[in-house]
Amino acid sequence: LVGFTPRGAFISDTDAITVTFNRAVIPLGGDIGAPLPEDKVPFAITMRQSAGAAALPPMCGTFRWVTTLVARFDPCESWPTDAAVQVVMNRWLTTWDGAGLVPSDAETRLF
């Protein structure tokens, strides 16, 4: 895992969540822009009103690979202004040739 956007502690409007890796996750010429197979979804998103509260319904949107290294979630509506958004990395995600990608200390991001 090399980079994560948005940077900082806030997510607003229809900001996309983007993750950049240092190795290709899908092969060159792979289905960039196509719906992701379950094993190539890089992260899950949950939302809560407050710490300890029940999870809110899932955010509608689309996961896709922008390049062989960059995955992105585009929401189909604005993020709720009063919710905490948690991004949990898929710790089983591998490169196209089978190497592991996500270290345990980079598994969760909060907005």
Side-chain angles (χ1 to χ4, degrees):
L1 181 65
V2 174
F4 214 119
T5 60
R7 289 177 170 73
F10 299 100
I11 192 165
S12 63
D13 298 322
T14 56
D15 287 347
I17 296 175
T18 305
V19 177
T20 304
F21 296 95
N22 62 347
R23 295 192 57 191
V25 178
I26 63 171
L28 191 59
D31 291 333
I32 294 173
L36 299 183
E38 207 49 46
D39 65 332
K40 294 300 180 186
V41 174
F43 51 86
I45 299 168
T46 58
M47 297 184 297
R48 299 181 186 283
Q49 291 292 331
S50 61
L56 295 171
M59 183 69 166
C60 69
T62 305
F63 281 103
R64 64 187 173 102
W65 286 97
V66 180
T67 71
T68 60
L69 306 171
V70 179
R72 171 180 176 126
F73 176 80
D74 292 296
C76 62
E77 57 191 33
S78 294
W79 294 99
T81 57
D82 57 347
V85 177
Q86 181 179 32
V87 176
V88 179
M89 298 302 299
N90 174 357
R91 56 193 263 174
W92 308 113
L93 188 65
T94 60
T95 63
W96 69 272
D97 60 352
L101 278 172
V102 181
S104 61
D105 62 348
E107 289 182 14
T108 302
R109 178 83 183 255
L110 293 171
F111 295 103

